Amino acid sequence: MYQLIKKRTAVFILTVSCLALQFAISCNDNGNIESVEPPDDATRLRSNKYAILCTAVTMNPSYQETQLDPIDINAEWISILRIYRHLKKSGFSDENIFILYSDQFQEPDWSEKELAETSEEIKKKHFNGNYSNNFTIENLKFAAETIASKANKESTLVLYISGHGNPIGISLPDFYSYICPHDLKIILKHIPSKKNLILISSCWGGVFLSEAPLEFSLLATSSVKDKQTWVDRNFNEIELFLRYKTDISNDQNSDGIVQYMEAHKAMQEEAERYYDWLKIYLENNSYETGEIELYPLYFREGSDYTDFNL
């Protein structure tokens, strides 16, 4: 009889221990369990969404040898801030977000007034020494490997990379190394998630369209391989796409999912309206505009890609 009680007690302790790992347990003052509640759907989704946000272009006036156009100052950092806000509103948690910015000699311009509260939040939660924020291939690999160790088939991944493009790929901040399409595929190969959005903001970004980096991925680029793109303080077409993709009101066919082409179509009017203004601005400031595109984006679906909400 004693052995039977002992076995049942052990089973009970083991069962409660397992529940403690999966559920929120509340106890009374005596330490006795009052209720066992599973995490809500929002909590489960938050813990299963991951993002890596990278930029190799600072546009930080503190590090420029020549004077920047006012609409260029901190433009890429402002894009990161806006994308970060879209993701946070969509349930991405900071513990699952990596932000890689330029290199070890540069940090964001923390004095930037645009989205200052968001910038301060990122400084506190991401530029705190928990991981290296230098945008290098090694740190991108570290972020991808960390996510691969935590994610599963039901996870969501958003990867955003911006930088100076060229016919090979994207230049990293040291201007001696590049991220090429094959490199990206190798870096992401262990990601198990089936909901992956890969966003490339660079001139000649179409070089990445030759092959989707993951079978379950959508790749979006802001240009084809022989065109330039444009980013400034007011406009980034990848950020604009993400804003429309995370807004459920853009679900035009009422299937419960904002399809990527629905988001793309919804952003067209705003992108073209801005381009009309930008052409005049650039011409008045003696810029060439012939090779710049603000719309459309270019897409490549992985072989097993299906659309999903962020």
Side-chain angles (χ1 to χ4, degrees), residues 186-217:
I186 292 175
I187 290 170
L188 299 178
K189 67 178 180 180
H190 296 302
I191 299 289
S193 55
K194 291 188 175 183
K195 293 178 283 188
N196 305 295
L197 186 57
I198 316 299
L199 307 169
I200 304 293
S201 176
S202 73
C203 298
W204 299 285
V207 68
F208 287 88
L209 292 169
S210 59
E211 185 178 14
L214 291 168
E215 292 180 358
F216 295 94
S217 68

Side-chain angles (χ1 to χ4, degrees), residues 221-246:
T221 72
S222 57
S223 62
V224 289
K225 61 183 179 180
D226 58 350
K227 291 285 187 179
Q228 299 178 39
T229 190
W230 180 267
V231 172
D232 62 39
R233 291 176 62 86
N234 305 312
F235 186 88
N236 177 328
E237 58 191 322
I238 291 289
E239 178 272 321
L240 185 64
F241 169 73
L242 201 57
R243 171 156 43 103
Y244 280 87
K245 183 77 170 72
T246 55

Side-chain angles (χ1 to χ4, degrees), residues 67-87:
Q67 186 174 356
L68 286 170
D69 188 298
I71 66 171
D72 287 334
I73 294 175
N74 294 325
E76 288 288 356
W77 178 239
I78 291 171
S79 294
I80 291 285
L81 297 177
R82 289 177 178 146
I83 290 171
Y84 173 82
R85 290 208 313 176
H86 299 328
L87 296 180

Side-chain angles (χ1 to χ4, degrees), residues 60-116:
N60 184 336
S62 302
Y63 302 103
Q64 300 296 322
E65 295 180 0
T66 58
Q67 186 174 356
L68 286 170
D69 188 298
I71 66 171
D72 287 334
I73 294 175
N74 294 325
E76 288 288 356
W77 178 239
I78 291 171
S79 294
I80 291 285
L81 297 177
R82 289 177 178 146
I83 290 171
Y84 173 82
R85 290 208 313 176
H86 299 328
L87 296 180
K88 290 297 294 289
K89 288 179 180 178
S90 297
F92 287 70
S93 63
D94 283 287
E95 64 184 11
N96 293 333
I97 297 174
F98 290 85
I99 297 178
L100 305 181
Y101 179 91
S102 191
D103 64 21
Q104 60 184 335
F105 302 109
Q106 302 179 23
E107 281 197 0
D109 181 1
W110 302 115
S111 66
E112 169 61 51
K113 291 182 172 54
E114 182 75 16
L115 300 174

Side-chain angles (χ1 to χ4, degrees), residues 125-172:
K125 295 180 178 179
H126 293 277
F127 286 76
N128 54 12
N130 286 344
Y131 61 90
S132 174
N133 299 101
N134 301 343
F135 185 13
T136 64
I137 290 180
E138 290 73 20
N139 287 337
L140 179 56
K141 286 180 180 177
F142 171 79
E145 289 169 0
T146 301
I147 290 172
S149 70
K150 298 165 64 177
N152 54 50
K153 291 181 180 180
E154 301 304 316
S155 301
T156 298
L157 170 68
V158 173
L159 170 61
Y160 169 78
I161 301 177
S162 68
H164 291 298
N166 56 60
I168 298 174
I170 294 178
S171 301
L172 289 180

Side-chain angles (χ1 to χ4, degrees), residues 20 42 257:
I257 297 174

